[in-house]
Amino acid sequence: MLERAHGQAGGLRGRVEGGEAWVRSHPVAVDAALFGPPALLLAALLASSGSPVQAAAALLQVGVLALRRTRPVLVAVVVDAVAALHLSTGAVLGGTGLLASPSDAAVLVALYSVAAHGPRWARYVGLLVALAGAVGLGVGTGLATGSVREALVVAAAVTTTAGVFALLAWTLGQWRRTRLAHVHALEDRARGVETEREQLQALAAAAERARIAREMHDVVAHSLSVVIAQADGGRYAAAADPAAAVRALESVAATGRAALTDMRRLLGVLREDGGSVLEPQPGVEDVPDLVASVRASGLPVALVTTGEARPLPAGAGLAVYRVVQEGLTNVLKHGGPSARATVRLHWSPGRLEVHVEDDGRGASAGPAADGVGRGLSGMAERMALYGGTAHAGPRTGGGFAVRAVLPLPGGAADRAATSPVTSPVTSPATSPLPAPVARPGQPVTAQVPASPPSGTPGPPRG
């Protein structure tokens, strides 16, 4: 019942708004319907009283008001001219010696219309003409009386009355003009706000699409790289070591389930019903688990942490995590079967430096590329959001390196120290991988030999 009432109210509101729009878009038809019947009635009455000329003048004087909004100056000229003709030759037109006709009331409507819709000069000219007509009407009426004293009194009374009515009509027209200007200004402002809102929505949608694309790339590329590496290893080890193949399949299943969970969490933000429960995004504290999962997939990787670790904001921590994830994913995709990697997190008072280095063979020696990578550019975009930088490039002597610097609160000096690096693709490391050191409070990680295979560095990967 309530829904039906709301529907009926909405339909009635729509019909009312549609009617208002039609009235505004058809002013001539509306004014013709408003002033046409009175003009015909007045003309018929005057014609029946034996004044055909005055009937024709009344029909013209009132009927022309149909154009009062589209041609206000023309209407004022016609109405005032007929009124002046009445004033000067009333005895001839009317046959009664009167200086005005009932149709002369159209002068007030014409004055209102020219004040509301006419140009600036016409508004003031129309007011002066109306006041002059009031004076003429008062003087003419006074001259038609007997004594001089009565003539003065009648002239003053008629002039004042007609002048007051003229001023009132002109003031109402000015108020109408001001109101129309205010309404038009509000409509323009509303259109501007609507356009700005649509632009902001488009920008927000584009930013959200870019964010989701980065997250999808990080989740899918890393997980699929691990799955492919485990599947290849299990296939080669199946004949010689069935247990290793089983472990590889278990790792593939675990990685796939984790990737599916991440995908569901990521796509949950697109749900409109709000029914999904979102889990926290990974941060810098989850880097050890990431390294452990990659190491379990068969890639020898060591984690080296120096300095005093500190909590990071959620967005900054996610950016660091994705940098490490992207670097290790590149090693899995392009490093080759004998590649080894080291992840370094160096905490200083003003910044956090992240290094992901490998001694692999480079992208040029690997299999065919699987598409134009977006990982490195997305990594740089992530770090730029928090005032940091990210660079990637081949290492001297072979392998690949990723270096990212994230300013920490209170580290303006350190942030300035990172600005001299201008090239988006550099060689962050110029020496072979050093042996990892023990992470404070945890067992020593796997050692990585310091003699990477030589070879020509490959192009940047992503």
Side-chain angles (χ1 to χ4, degrees):
M1 194 70 173
L2 185 59
E3 293 179 356
R4 183 187 302 174
H6 282 302
Q8 293 176 352
L12 179 61
R13 187 182 305 110
R15 289 193 293 271
V16 170
E17 292 177 353
E20 291 179 354
W22 189 90
V23 168
R24 274 187 252 172
S25 60
H26 299 81
V28 176
V30 173
D31 289 333
L34 180 62
F35 296 104
L40 294 175
L41 179 61
L42 184 59
L45 291 176
L46 292 175
S48 63
S49 63
S51 304
V53 177
Q54 193 172 5
L59 183 62
L60 173 64
Q61 197 173 22
V62 179
V64 77
L65 293 178
L67 303 175
R68 67 182 187 89
R69 281 187 280 182
T70 57
R71 298 289 188 271
V73 177
L74 175 63
V75 170
V77 169
V78 172
V79 171
D80 290 346
V82 175
L85 191 62
H86 285 160
L87 183 63
S88 60
T89 60
V92 176
L93 292 176
T96 59
L98 296 177
L99 299 178
S101 169
S103 62
D104 287 340
V107 171
L108 300 178
V109 180
L111 179 60
Y112 165 84
S113 301
V114 79
H117 308 288
R120 181 182 179 88
W121 65 269
R123 301 199 300 260
Y124 295 100
V125 171
L127 178 60
L128 292 177
V129 171
L131 293 178
V135 173
L137 181 61
V139 171
T141 305
L143 293 176
T145 58
S147 63
V148 176
R149 181 177 180 181
E150 291 180 356
L152 292 176
V153 172
V154 171
V158 173
T159 300
T160 302
T161 302
V164 168
F165 277 108
L167 286 174
L168 179 60
W170 187 82
T171 303
L172 289 176
Q174 287 287 89
W175 174 82
R176 176 64 175 171
R177 171 183 288 273
T178 302
R179 186 175 182 276
L180 288 176
H182 180 65
V183 170
H184 291 160
L186 291 179
E187 291 177 349
D188 292 341
R189 182 178 179 183
R191 283 192 293 268
V193 170
E194 182 69 17
T195 302
E196 183 180 2
R197 184 179 67 84
E198 293 176 356
Q199 293 175 348
L200 291 177
Q201 287 180 345
L203 292 176
E208 185 65 13
R209 285 195 297 268
R211 186 190 70 82
I212 292 176
R214 289 195 300 265
E215 295 291 337
M216 292 283 287
H217 173 273
D218 293 335
V219 172
V220 174
H222 173 75
S223 301
L224 289 183
S225 298
V226 173
V227 168
I228 292 171
Q230 290 283 21
D232 289 341
R235 183 181 59 187
Y236 292 130
D241 189 359
V246 171
R247 290 194 300 271
L249 292 177
E250 291 176 349
S251 178
V252 167
T255 303
R257 282 191 292 269
L260 182 61
T261 300
D262 290 339
M263 291 283 291
R264 287 174 175 171
R265 180 176 64 229
L266 176 62
L267 298 179
V269 299
L270 302 179
R271 293 173 58 91
E272 296 181 357
D273 56 2
S276 60
V277 178
L278 304 181
E279 299 178 1
Q281 292 278 40
V284 66
E285 64 277 2
D286 298 305
V287 170
D289 295 334
L290 174 64
V291 171
S293 67
V294 174
R295 186 185 299 121
S297 69
L299 175 67
V301 55
L303 174 63
V304 179
T305 302
T306 58
E308 181 180 357
R310 300 190 292 281
L312 292 179
L318 176 62
V320 173
Y321 181 90
R322 295 305 188 196
V323 167
V324 177
Q325 187 181 54
E326 178 64 27
L328 294 178
T329 300
N330 282 336
V331 178
L332 288 170
K333 292 169 62 177
H334 306 292
S338 60
R340 287 158 292 187
T342 298
V343 177
R344 292 190 182 87
L345 301 179
H346 176 63
W347 298 82
S348 63
R351 62 182 180 178
L352 169 63
E353 296 184 16
V354 182
H355 299 261
V356 181
E357 303 170 349
D358 68 85
D359 58 357
R361 60 189 178 184
S364 61
D370 54 359
V372 179
R374 294 286 299 168
L376 298 180
S377 60
M379 177 178 63
E381 292 172 359
R382 285 183 182 277
M383 298 303 295
L385 288 176
Y386 302 96
T389 58
H391 307 283
R395 300 174 65 250
T396 301
F400 203 79
V402 175
R403 177 176 181 265
V405 179
L406 178 68
L408 301 179
D414 296 294
R415 183 162 54 251
T418 65
S419 59
V421 181
T422 58
S423 175
V425 178
T426 61
S427 297
T430 58
S431 61
L433 293 174
V437 298
R439 188 183 184 199
Q442 292 192 8
V444 178
T445 57
Q447 299 294 320
V448 179
S451 56
S454 59
T456 303
R461 303 172 297 200

